[in-house]
């Protein structure tokens, strides 16, 4: 977005709205709403790289004030929240754990399924009372939902007490968006439909000091027919390897134990570089040399997962052999109308190659049931693929139509009861397989990165194995943040219980 467009983007006074008709005319004149149609376009323009700094005049903005951010959705959103928290802190705000004493509240939203959106609208309903009680409170909506025009219109109509809406492409503009919101009584709406530059040097306040996320790329160009992400996150843009490596080195020097490299389709990393031949395998290979005990990445797309990456991962060391490899369906026909661009056979072949190179690798996946017109036979192909791969676990979803995506226009003859019943059958298989896989751990000793007290019992510590299994065990609090050896005593459906047998394992 250029300066001109930025100026055109707007402040809307909800009280100016008389009827829906007036309201839309109002927008046409002065408002630059998010447009899914524009967001779909993929231009050839070069990605620019820019730095971040806070203008002098905003540096004291947050003095004596507190911020609260509620995050919905995926790790990318979680990480965006860390960036926004960093910006708030740089502006002098302090964090708070609840909405009650916050001066600014942000909802960092997710648009992936209808129920994700409903949660946010429900929360806005709750916050209305708080806002009435404390009119000076600033309330903002950001994240993926803000990128949808229907959402912005609904907020303007139903929740006009919201003070600011901004999108995923301009979170670095938070200081001036806040400034505008303070200065005007009107709702500030600044959503860029098209991605901007890749912004470096963003401040971050990370959640915890044990595990960290590092963005390696933004956006997605896959356009799976059911998915809203390519519209809400823009085209694929990779961060330069030297920036990523520098960030990981810095995290290592700060004592972080585990890094997860993030992107919606990390296997496409580097495909947009014009000056260098450099992909995820090169990046993993280089980062693996950094002294950090654990290195993961997410999310992989089966189509772009290449042999070079398998070769690099097979070297092991700090590269963990847990791969999240969303399959979505076991039916080639359904995969075709999902535009996943691989077949059942391709996926199984990839799994075979991964298992050959890394016999102990654990695989997890995402599955959608009840895609438009999915037949019983096609659904059973998903079950049979699940059995064949023997995934360690899976995130399973009922298909949710997303406005503006091709699948939303497909007629669908599968009744909701059938979809629900399929989800139940799939979940039964997922649970059964997980329990069986965890059972094999009983009596074995595993390395666990200790994250803290268990949620349900403060006398027990909790941490994750290399394969992302949650382990609860008794150990001294001093082991928090360390990798320790734990002997597994009991397997449950989703978690393991154990006893610590040895402290602080040195990795590398
Ligand atoms: N980039 C990742 C997925 C990100 S979204 C990938 O391609 O693997 C996380 C998961 O949400 C997807 O894998 C898919 O299983 C699910 N999902 C996405 N859109 C959905 C929709 N419209 N309805 C139901 N589930 C959906
Ligand atoms: Fe969505 Fe497909 Fe991109 Fe994943 S790869 S974010 S499912 S469009
Ligand atoms: Fe949701 Fe946006 Fe992530 S739609 S899943 S928060 S990229």
């Amino acid at each position: 977005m250029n300066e001109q467009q930025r100026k055109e983007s707007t402040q809307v006074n909800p009280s100016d709205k008389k009827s829906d008709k007036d309201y839309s005319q109002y927008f046409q004149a002065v408002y630059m709403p998010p447009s899914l149609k524009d967001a779909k376009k993929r231009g050839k323009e070069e990605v620019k790289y820019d730095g971040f700094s806070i203008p002098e005049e905003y540096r004291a903005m947050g003095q004596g004030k507190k911020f609260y951010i509620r995050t919905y959705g995926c790790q990318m959103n979680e990480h965006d929240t860390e960036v926004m928290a960093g910006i708030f802190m740089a502006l002098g705000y302090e964090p708070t754990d609840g909405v009650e004493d916050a001066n600014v509240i942000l909802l960092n939203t997710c648009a992936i399924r209808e129920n994700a959106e409903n949660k946010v609208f429900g929360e806005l309903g709750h916050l209305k009372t708080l806002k009435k009680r404390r009119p000076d409170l600033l309330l903002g909506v950001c994240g993926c939902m803000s990128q949808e025009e229907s959402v912005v219109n609904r907020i303007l109509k139903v929740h006009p007490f919201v003070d600011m809406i901004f999108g995923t492409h301009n979170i670095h503009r938070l200081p001036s968006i806040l400034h505008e919101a303070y200065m005007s009584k009107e709702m500030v709406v600044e959503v860029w439909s098209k991605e901007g530059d890749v912004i470096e040097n963003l401040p971050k306040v990370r959640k915890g000091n044990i595990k960290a996320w590092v963005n390696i790329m933004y956006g997605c160009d896959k356009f799976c027919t059911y998915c809203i992400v390519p519209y809400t996150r823009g085209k694929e843009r990779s961060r330069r390897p030297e920036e990523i490596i520098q960030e990981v080195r810095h995290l290592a020097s700060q004592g972080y134990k585990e890094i997860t490299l993030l992107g919606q389709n990390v296997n496409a990393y580097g495909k947009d570089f014009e000056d260098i031949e450099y992909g995820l395998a090169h990046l993993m290979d280089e980062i693996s040399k950094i002294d950090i005990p654990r290195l993961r990445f997410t999310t992989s797309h089966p189509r772009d997962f290449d042999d070079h990456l398998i070769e690099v991962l097979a070297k092991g060391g700090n590269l963990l052999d847990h791969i999240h490899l969303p399959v979505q369906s076991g039916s080639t026909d359904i995969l075709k109308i999902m535009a996943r661009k691989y077949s059942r056979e391709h996926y199984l072949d990839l799994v075979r190659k991964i298992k050959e190179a890394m016999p102990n690798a654990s695989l997890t996946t995402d599955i959608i049931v009840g895609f438009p017109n999915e037949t019983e036979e096609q659904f059973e192909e998903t079950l049979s693929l699940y059995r064949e791969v023997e995934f360690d676990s899976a995130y399973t979803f009922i298909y949710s139509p997303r406005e503006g995506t091709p699948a939303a226009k497909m007629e669908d003859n599968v009744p909701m009861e059938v979809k629900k019943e399929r989800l139940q059958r799939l979940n039964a298989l997922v649970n059964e397989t997980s329990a069986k896989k965890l059972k094999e751990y009983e009596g074995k000793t595993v390395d666990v990165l200790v994250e803290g007290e268990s949620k349900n019992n403060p006398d027990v510590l909790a941490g994750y194995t290399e394969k992302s299994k949650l382990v609860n065990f008794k150990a001294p609090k001093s082991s928090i943040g360390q990798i320790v050896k734990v002997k597994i005593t009991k397997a449950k459906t989703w978690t393991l219980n154990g006893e610590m047998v040895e402290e602080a394992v040195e990795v590398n």
Side-chain angles (χ1 to χ4, degrees), residues 16 31 44 141 277 291 340 352 423:
D16 286 356
Y31 183 52
K44 283 244 179 295
V141 176
E277 271 291 314
D291 188 13
R340 289 290 287 183
R352 186 186 48 72
L423 183 71

Side-chain angles (χ1 to χ4, degrees), residues 71-83:
T71 315
Y72 302 81
C74 66
Q75 292 100 325
M76 257 129 297
N77 250 19
E78 297 269 359
H79 190 45
D80 284 351
T81 289
E82 294 181 335
V83 170

Side-chain angles (χ1 to χ4, degrees), residues 112-113 226-227 264 299-300 326 328 340 366 368 397-400 402:
I112 201 84
R113 284 169 290 276
Y226 51 82
C227 184
Q264 281 298 354
T299 302
S300 285
Q328 313 300 357
R340 289 290 287 183
D366 291 349
I368 297 176
F397 311 102
I398 290 181
Y399 164 70
S400 169
R402 303 284 68 212

Side-chain angles (χ1 to χ4, degrees), residues 254-272:
Q254 290 179 304
Y256 280 89
K257 295 291 189 302
E258 183 175 307
I259 303 284
T260 304
L261 305 179
L262 287 184
Q264 281 298 354
N265 168 16
V266 286
N267 303 79
Y269 175 75
K271 285 192 200 295
D272 52 327

